[in-house]
Amino acid sequence: MNAALSVRSIVKRFGAFTALDGVSLDVVPGSIFGLLGPNGSGKSTLIRICCGSLRPTSGQVLVLGLDATRDAEAVRRRIGYMSQAFSLYRDLSVAENLQFFGRVYGVPNRDARIAEIVERLHIAPYRDRYAQNLSGGWRQRLALGCALLHRPDVLFLDEPTAGIDPVARRELWNLLFELAADGTTLFVTTHYMDEAERCDRVAYVHYGKILVDGTPDELKARPDLTLPNQRRVLVRGPNATHVLRALSAMKDIHEATVFGAEVHAVVANELSDAELVARLDRAGLARAQVEGAEPNLEDVFVTMARRNRV
Ligand code: ADP
Ligand code: MG
């Protein structure tokens, strides 16, 4: 199948600084692609290039087969873009913002389309509220509504859930799933691992370079995440912080981090579960349990980022 979005060897330099250093990726139509990476890694720059608002230094982006630089105008008609910055008019109401963006995009049958969006995003109760008085979640929902008015086939969302509460986050994701189910292709940047898990495919960009790209299951199953002489374990103890402290003082422990009540660690192969339990016992942690563990997505990204320290 032809990709809805195809990013091919994109390089972007700002003066002597290389923000994107040969980025390539493909997004299948109707799927959700998640892009993660530290601040300053080039996520927003990539989105701006894909939307045709920034020229790459070299490389090519095809959106629905159209060249994002040469056919920027045609691309703009087929895409929606929710920028990282607050893009609404604060002193216009929800309804007025939709009207305004509807006019900007030249949306046909504007009132009917706005009514459809209001219904779909469940924003009717807030129609007359000024955008500046909406909570973060509702603001993002309105911004999504504005980006959807002209029925884009590909939607770019730059950190759409940054700083909004978990309920609003889940509701926004439910809307994204509905859009994808209807055939819209979504390209989303985020810092949240649970959101990465929800994507059909994720990539991790680290200072301009893609370090990994695949489905969440593929990434977690990568054989190169632990070195051949290491293995991953999960340690449960009465107190995860005490476990972490004890592990950090031991030899043969390459890495340890707390996830809720558990500690995930990478240890030397020759350190058995039983020996680890015995060591923890000697360290005063009598009831610790140890078992082999699979990496989660955060483990994948942390491992790859550490290996590629700049
Ligand atoms: P991210 O969205 O991943 O946080 P950005 O794409 O915003 O990263 O930025 C990537 C890098 O490019 C940063 O170091 C940023 O300062 C730099 N950058 C972005 N836009 C410009 C610009 N117009 N001029 C100079 N540097 C820029
Ligand atoms: Mg950004």
Side-chain angles (χ1 to χ4, degrees):
M1 195 186 300
N2 282 337
L5 171 69
S6 185
V7 174
R8 302 176 174 176
S9 310
I10 287 292
V11 173
K12 179 64 192 178
R13 296 200 184 92
F14 294 108
F17 175 74
T18 304
L20 294 170
D21 194 5
V23 168
S24 297
L25 52 88
D26 281 301
V27 184
V28 171
S31 71
I32 305 183
F33 191 103
L35 184 65
L36 287 90
N39 288 331
S41 281
K43 302 181 296 296
S44 298
T45 301
L46 181 61
I47 287 189
R48 286 164 60 211
I49 290 172
C50 292
C51 293
S53 60
L54 193 67
R55 246 172 199 283
T57 305
S58 64
Q60 186 188 36
V61 172
L62 295 178
V63 181
L64 304 160
L66 299 161
D67 186 300
T69 304
R70 273 189 290 117
D71 309 318
E73 208 32 63
V75 164
R76 242 170 255 143
R77 280 194 289 274
R78 308 281 303 273
I79 63 165
Y81 171 42
M82 222 173 114
S83 82
Q84 194 174 358
F86 186 77
S87 57
L88 303 164
Y89 286 89
R90 290 164 199 269
D91 50 354
L92 293 184
S93 70
V94 166
E96 288 164 346
N97 266 289
L98 287 165
Q99 280 290 346
F100 176 82
F101 284 99
R103 271 196 299 272
V104 168
Y105 288 125
V107 172
N109 305 319
R110 195 166 66 236
D111 289 337
R113 178 60 180 157
I114 288 175
E116 223 172 85
I117 292 282
V118 165
E119 155 104 30
R120 172 141 211 193
L121 303 191
H122 314 289
I123 45 182
Y126 298 94
R127 277 189 75 97
D128 298 320
R129 194 173 290 195
Y130 286 123
Q132 66 188 358
N133 295 333
L134 293 172
S135 68
W138 286 100
R139 256 182 217 179
Q140 290 306 74
R141 210 180 270 223
L142 173 58
L144 178 61
C146 292
L148 286 175
L149 277 170
H150 59 301
R151 304 177 194 275
D153 296 304
V154 183
L155 192 56
F156 294 91
L157 304 125
D158 199 358
E159 297 193 31
T161 58
I164 70 175
D165 69 77
V167 175
R169 229 153 49 80
R170 181 167 294 185
E171 287 172 355
L172 197 75
W173 269 89
N174 287 342
L175 292 171
L176 301 188
F177 289 129
E178 281 178 28
L179 289 168
D182 287 348
T184 307
T185 305
L186 290 101
F187 189 87
V188 187
T189 67
T190 179
H191 290 290
Y192 295 106
M193 294 302 146
D194 60 315
E195 295 184 2
E197 288 280 359
R198 288 169 158 155
C199 295
D200 295 301
R201 201 176 173 89
V202 287
Y204 190 81
V205 60
H206 191 67
Y207 302 107
K209 286 199 169 86
I210 300 262
L211 298 185
V212 285
D213 174 3
T215 68
D217 285 344
E218 278 168 9
L219 297 188
K220 286 179 280 187
R222 279 175 75 105
D224 61 343
L225 289 174
T226 43
L227 298 174
N229 58 345
Q230 299 175 353
R231 65 191 192 95
R232 210 170 273 276
V233 295
L234 191 155
V235 185
R236 283 193 200 89
N239 182 316
T241 310
H242 293 171
V243 169
L244 180 68
R245 203 175 292 151
L247 291 176
S248 304
M250 288 177 198
K251 62 180 172 61
D252 306 327
I253 309 288
H254 298 292
E255 204 181 295
T257 188
V258 173
F259 281 96
E262 299 168 344
V263 176
H264 293 201
V266 176
V267 305
N269 256 342
E270 57 268 21
L271 178 58
S272 69
D273 291 356
E275 168 62 13
L276 190 49
V277 168
R279 284 195 196 175
L280 287 164
D281 188 37
R282 288 198 292 278
L285 294 155
R287 278 171 292 125
Q289 296 166 328
V290 177
E291 58 186 75
E294 297 299 313
N296 59 27
L297 268 185
E298 184 174 299
D299 292 325
V300 176
F301 299 144
V302 168
T303 303
M304 300 315 282
R306 287 217 172 117
R307 237 176 250 173
N308 290 275
R309 276 214 172 107
V310 283

